[in-house]
Amino acid sequence: RNVRERRSIAGPVFLRRLRTEHESVVTRDLTPILSGSQVCLVALHYQPELASTTLGTWAINQFDAIKFLSQHLPEDWTVLVKEHPSTFALSSKTSAAFRPHGIYRRIAGLARTFLAPLDLDVRPELVAGTFAAVATITGNIGKEALAVGVPVMHFGRAPYTNFPGAFWIRHPDPM
């Protein structure tokens, strides 16, 4: 087969395997998590995209940002990670460079860290009553959370950097 034919087959196969892995580690019943601790919602970015790849600084590898939160948030906090729904679309340009094999198992293996189902509703009015904070690279969910009074930790050059309640985590290890 030529390269174009192999690519057209590899994309759907990769996405199916990625989604299967995601579904295998998702926490279906979030009730104990949401009622038992302070929860920081991490909204993953679709990749590749400008907001994460160019503006994401050190957090272009989103696993590093999640790991940082897992290690540095207070012990009574939980990290809930929600995948971007476009990641699994057939038209997706997602590749192993951005979602390597085993990524969801690695995320779920972090202390106090869980993966949310894809259908978790994260509309701003629901975020305000559910999450103690939101973390993103530069995503719109950051400005939506700020608009309803939820603090935001962001890892990239977000347009809301100077808004009250926005905290830019420039780099976990100062040089």
Side-chain angles (χ1 to χ4, degrees):
R1 294 186 174 174
N2 66 34
V3 172
R4 176 176 267 163
E5 287 175 5
R6 282 194 304 257
R7 250 190 234 136
S8 67
I9 294 170
V13 170
F14 170 77
L15 291 173
R16 187 171 45 250
R17 286 182 183 157
L18 190 66
R19 184 162 190 155
T20 299
E21 178 189 331
H22 179 270
E23 292 299 315
S24 74
V25 294
V26 158
T27 302
R28 304 251 176 251
D29 182 10
L30 297 177
T31 307
I33 296 165
L34 298 176
S35 63
S37 66
Q38 301 275 24
V39 179
C40 177
L41 173 66
V42 178
L44 293 181
H45 281 256
Y46 170 79
Q47 288 181 303
E49 67 156 358
L50 173 70
S52 62
T53 307
T54 305
L55 304 175
T57 64
W58 68 272
I60 187 172
N61 177 347
Q62 295 180 84
F63 177 79
D64 291 341
I66 297 164
K67 183 177 176 183
F68 174 83
L69 291 170
S70 171
Q71 293 173 341
H72 292 91
L73 284 175
E75 287 295 317
D76 64 334
W77 281 62
T78 299
V79 178
L80 184 63
V81 179
K82 181 170 187 322
E83 179 58 274
H84 194 286
S86 295
T87 297
F88 303 117
L90 283 178
S91 61
S92 173
K93 300 292 185 208
T94 298
S95 72
F98 299 104
R99 298 293 191 275
H101 177 71
I103 186 63
Y104 299 118
R105 284 189 295 279
R106 288 178 63 206
I107 291 170
L110 294 171
R112 302 174 287 119
T113 305
F114 302 89
L115 277 148
L118 287 173
D119 62 357
L120 177 68
D121 193 346
V122 293
R123 286 176 291 158
E125 61 272 17
L126 299 173
V127 167
T130 307
F131 301 104
V134 167
T136 182
I137 297 177
T138 60
N140 282 337
I141 194 166
K143 76 177 172 195
E144 293 168 353
L146 290 170
V148 294
V150 175
V152 174
M153 293 172 273
H154 62 95
F155 301 97
R157 295 181 195 95
Y160 42 80
T161 295
N162 295 318
F163 286 30
F167 303 93
W168 185 3
I169 301 173
R170 285 183 172 82
H171 197 279
D173 300 317
M175 303 275 205

